[in-house]
Amino acid sequence: MKLSLIVPCYNEAENVAAFQEAVIGAFDGCGYDYEIVFVDDGSRDATLHNLKKLHAAQACPVKVISFSRNFGKEAALYAGLQHASGEYLSLIDADLQQRPEIVRDMVEILDQQPEYDVVAAYQDRRGEGKILSAFKKCFYSLINCLSKVKLHPDASDFRTFRRSVAESILSLGEYHRFSKGIFAWVGYSTSFLPYTAQARAAGTSKWNFRKLANYAIEGIIGFSTAPLRLATYLGCATALAAMVYLVVVVLQKLIAGIDIPGYATIIVLILLLGGMQLFCIGIIGEYVGKIFEQSKDRPIYIAKEVLDYEEK
Ligand code: UDP
Ligand code: MG
């Protein structure tokens, strides 16, 4: 098998058949074999039903993995990688925002330029609002400053890569998966390809601001321990400021004879220090939570059904 298209699907009932059609159209006459690995991430609509129909028809080789509940896109991608048999593997969304034709171009790059192991598409124009765009910019500057791995700001997980890369990704068994970080962490030479995301074919995006913010925090916690050092820096800075203030107060009393009542100062300082301490405990708590969840060693997903196809 030359190429596996790994497609996470969560409530994509209206899209999966159109997606398969688009894939067949794009790869018609490409001269190599390919399979579609659909992962139903615990959809609550007719996605699984429609996927089973596609599997039964086998208009092209189709595998279906269905989860026992919604485990998230990252888990779906992991399952897809585990079940794909292609020499090249491609991660692509089910909503047709990412055209399958681009995957053909990616395969061509991997074929013709053996020095590259990954082709990552990045959005040349983002269709999102200014606030979200500014938020994303901040996030990338922050994570690139805090973490040793460097992320391309506009690159998503729409990528095609060689099997060796997939094996490396699968070898990272972490429970909290942040695929952009994982791609950067495993390395390999990457070619970046610009693309313009289409409008969603049907249905709605599963992301909102809160989910994105949580995902961003997950990314930073997962790929940097720098926030933990913040407590050390804050503590040092506060102690230093306290020393200076102490000297100032003593000198004022000795030289100028000023008695400082300081009620407001005390209240403000108590609140400020209390806030800083809670903030630092919160950061530590984030890491402890991740350690706790990882230490339980639960599987990344549970598949209730895997429908394979018969090799011809
Ligand atoms: N997805 C998934 N599990 C989830 C959320 C999303 O498998 O919990 C899939 C979804 O079906 C789609 C892809 O991930 O194929 C991207 O999701 P979406 O289109 O909502 O994200 P956006 O394009 O808005 O960033
Ligand atoms: Mg989408």
Side-chain angles (χ1 to χ4, degrees), residues 8-10 12 41 70 72-73 76 93-95 97 200 204-207:
C9 308
Y10 179 52
E12 303 282 4
D41 185 12
N70 180 246
K73 181 179 177 183
D93 292 351
D95 55 10
Q97 284 195 281
R200 215 170 205 287
T204 50
S205 170
K206 278 85 199 172
W207 294 94

Side-chain angles (χ1 to χ4, degrees), residues 11-28:
N11 297 344
E12 303 282 4
E14 294 111 315
N15 289 328
V16 288
F19 174 83
Q20 189 196 39
E21 221 165 274
V23 169
I24 292 175
F27 288 91
D28 188 30

